[in-house]
Amino acid sequence: MRQRLTVPPNVSAAYRKDFLEIVESSAKNSYQIVRQQAILDTIIAPYLQGIFNKVLHANKEMEGKATLVLTKSPIENAYALADGTIFFNIGLLAELENESQIAFILCHELAHVKLKHMEQGIVEYLETVHSKAFKKQYSQLAREKYNRSAKIATFFEEKSLSHLYHKRSLEKQADSVGFLLFTKTNYDPGQAATALKILARVDDPAAVPNLNLNLNLNTFFGCPNFTLDTYIKSGKETSIFGAVSDESPFASNKDTLQTHPDIDKRLRFIAELERSMPATGAAIEAEGDNKVKAICQREALQSWFDAQNYDYAAYKALLQLQQHPESNYLRGIVMLSLYAMQQHLKAHTFSEILSVESPSQPESFNQLIRLFGSLETSAYKNLSQCFHEAAPLRSATDEYTLAARYALARLQDDVSAAAEAKNAYTSRFKLGRLQAAIFSELP
């Protein structure tokens, strides 16, 4: 990063200082992502790297100019830095359906590297904030009598680096050059548009017609000891946590591929490119896509849980349970999420981990938020019992089943069963992944 980004000539000392600070910050951030989030397994990372190698082999001018890092972030995103590092999140990999779609995303990010868009973004940003016009406008806003803070915040957001990175002109360039790189491979060019449609779906599922995200909560939580409808009809009346937002609870991370401007226009543009740039080879028919996708979905789900997005982890696990009802892992994630939420409720930190209802989310997720937000601490006992009756934990000694048995015992106030489950877990998994999340009591 420090070697690739050099200070432009004939700039002021303040400009030079800001430029070097941005480069240093980007380099440190990149290092921390690699150090803390890189996935170095024997299945998913080699699978993704193999696709990347095929793309580079077909576009030899890019060989040696880019590297790929698979991260454990569940956010559906991929992005490129100026030094040629492409970060590909497990959350995005879990949503894509085949190698061709993955290859298109990689080509799009390679185009950003090839066209030096990050460098352009930094230069445009600094030229803007160091211009006389910028300083004059800021000075005028600073003298505003009303809503000064909000106006200044909006002003800086519009001029932010992230905003400049996703300028319409840069994204159209990346789509065009990326599609050209894509057509040099033997992947299916028709999958480029499909990949963009998938990104539209994951970023705003409520806006996609006929998208099947139905989740019948009665299937998992409806039983004689628990009247489910009482809790999911209106979060506003039954809970102090029943806030409603116009945005997704994950709106703080808007840096997703779909949020690049005008996806409908991009789809039309890709269709035009497909007609004008036919592929050079037959489409690759990959084996094992479904197996890898299932592993990716599990890793992404685990990342939601690890990030303390317990309600969303439970939601994703319940959706997957409808397709894989025998999965002990999915049952375990739901039970562990219920236990974690109850512990936060007891510690008076529940508002920190509960998502916010939003019209941009599937109604089934909003219902689940209302359910969790409406429960008192004691109600988790009946809720967990209902779930256990609907999806009982199978007899197994893997880490997640043992941890889930402990969670169930704690939710049921069964002290002896909890002690037995904890002993079984700690004796078998002394350095288990779930030690801190499950056995560390919240203050």
Side-chain angles (χ1 to χ4, degrees):
M1 180 78 72
R2 299 178 182 89
Q3 295 174 347
R4 286 285 297 272
L5 290 172
T6 57
V7 182
N10 305 319
V11 297
S12 66
Y15 184 112
R16 178 183 179 83
K17 178 176 176 292
D18 288 346
F19 188 95
L20 292 175
E21 285 181 355
I22 290 173
V23 173
E24 186 65 22
S25 175
S26 298
K28 288 181 177 179
N29 183 55
S30 177
Y31 170 76
Q32 289 300 324
I33 293 174
V34 173
R35 183 170 177 269
Q36 298 175 5
Q37 296 193 36
I39 295 177
L40 303 172
D41 72 322
T42 59
I43 298 177
I44 309 173
Y47 170 81
L48 183 62
Q49 186 64 51
I51 300 172
F52 190 53
N53 290 343
K54 292 175 186 175
V55 169
L56 291 177
H57 183 72
N59 295 276
K60 295 189 181 299
E61 74 276 14
M62 296 304 297
E63 289 185 326
K65 296 181 180 179
T67 57
L68 179 66
V69 177
L70 174 64
T71 83
K72 64 176 68 172
S73 170
I75 302 294
E76 299 90 349
N77 190 23
Y79 53 97
L81 300 183
D83 64 353
T85 302
I86 296 174
F87 290 105
F88 205 111
N89 294 347
I90 191 69
L92 176 59
L93 196 57
E95 295 294 338
L96 299 174
E97 298 166 341
N98 53 54
E99 286 195 16
S100 292
Q101 294 170 10
I102 297 167
F104 170 69
I105 300 299
L106 289 170
C107 287
H108 178 92
E109 297 308 323
L110 276 174
H112 280 302
V113 175
K114 183 181 179 71
L115 297 168
K116 299 184 177 181
H117 281 166
M118 183 176 179
E119 295 96 313
Q120 289 183 38
I122 293 173
V123 169
E124 287 188 35
Y125 168 74
L126 290 176
E127 286 179 350
T128 298
V129 299
H130 285 275
S131 68
K132 292 181 179 179
F134 178 91
K135 294 175 182 178
K136 180 179 180 180
Q137 191 172 357
Y138 175 74
S139 179
Q140 291 173 343
L141 289 174
R143 294 194 297 270
E144 288 281 344
K145 188 174 181 180
Y146 302 106
N147 299 323
R148 179 171 56 201
S149 297
K151 290 177 180 178
I152 290 176
T154 301
F155 174 68
F156 276 102
E157 173 62 25
E158 291 172 349
K159 305 296 188 295
S160 69
L161 276 172
S162 177
H163 182 78
L164 286 170
Y165 287 164
H166 293 168
K167 288 180 63 175
R168 295 175 189 276
S169 58
L170 299 187
E171 287 312 313
K172 190 169 184 178
Q173 288 175 21
D175 278 340
S176 180
V177 173
F179 193 80
L180 177 60
L181 299 176
F182 188 48
T183 58
K184 293 181 181 179
T185 72
N186 285 333
Y187 288 110
D188 181 2
Q191 291 297 314
T194 306
L196 287 179
K197 291 175 183 177
I198 289 173
L199 298 174
R201 181 195 72 202
V202 298
D203 254 36
D204 192 5
V208 180
N210 303 319
L211 180 61
N212 184 17
L213 286 176
N214 293 326
L215 177 61
N216 187 348
L217 295 180
N218 274 298
T219 301
F220 298 106
F221 300 121
C223 65
N225 295 330
F226 191 78
T227 307
L228 185 64
D229 289 343
T230 302
Y231 297 97
I232 64 175
K233 285 182 179 178
S234 174
K236 293 179 182 177
E237 297 177 2
T238 58
S239 171
I240 62 172
F241 302 108
V244 178
S245 169
D246 290 334
E247 295 186 339
S248 163
F250 311 112
S252 59
N253 191 325
K254 279 292 187 181
D255 188 23
T256 61
L257 287 170
Q258 193 272 331
T259 55
H260 295 345
D262 289 351
I263 194 164
D264 289 336
K265 290 183 179 179
R266 291 179 71 199
L267 283 168
R268 291 195 292 271
F269 183 57
I270 288 294
E272 293 174 6
L273 291 174
E274 187 178 345
R275 288 191 293 269
S276 63
M277 291 188 245
T280 57
I284 294 175
E285 296 294 335
E287 297 181 2
D289 281 337
N290 290 336
K291 177 183 176 182
V292 173
K293 183 179 175 66
I295 298 173
C296 291
Q297 287 177 336
R298 174 169 171 163
E299 286 296 323
L301 176 57
Q302 185 63 48
S303 291
W304 285 121
F305 180 86
D306 292 343
Q308 297 188 341
N309 292 112
Y310 300 122
D311 50 6
Y312 198 64
Y315 173 69
K316 298 289 280 188
L318 290 170
L319 284 175
Q320 293 180 38
L321 266 174
Q322 294 180 142
Q323 276 72 49
H324 308 284
E326 300 303 314
S327 172
N328 235 27
Y329 169 74
L330 295 175
R331 298 174 190 211
I333 285 292
V334 175
M335 193 64 72
L336 291 168
S337 297
L338 294 179
Y339 174 65
M341 285 188 285
Q342 187 205 48
Q343 292 302 295
H344 276 277
L345 193 58
K346 287 181 177 179
H348 306 290
T349 55
F350 190 65
S351 60
E352 297 175 10
I353 56 97
L354 183 69
S355 298
V356 179
E357 287 186 56
S358 169
S360 67
Q361 297 167 171
E363 177 56 24
S364 52
F365 182 43
N366 287 330
Q367 285 185 343
L368 199 63
I369 294 171
R370 289 198 290 272
L371 169 61
F372 294 146
S374 301
L375 296 178
E376 297 178 353
T377 304
S378 58
Y380 276 87
K381 180 176 182 178
N382 288 338
L383 185 69
S384 61
Q385 182 59 38
C386 289
F387 178 71
H388 184 56
E389 291 175 5
L393 292 166
R394 306 298 186 193
S395 178
T397 57
D398 63 275
E399 181 179 2
Y400 289 91
T401 300
L402 292 177
R405 289 194 178 282
Y406 170 79
L408 175 61
R410 287 294 305 274
L411 287 161
Q412 295 298 307
D413 298 321
D414 190 334
V415 177
S416 62
E420 182 181 345
K422 183 176 181 178
N423 288 335
Y425 180 96
T426 54
S427 63
R428 187 177 287 267
F429 304 101
K430 291 182 173 60
L431 299 175
R433 182 173 186 173
L434 300 170
Q435 280 269 16
I438 300 304
F439 301 126
S440 298
E441 297 290 336
L442 292 171

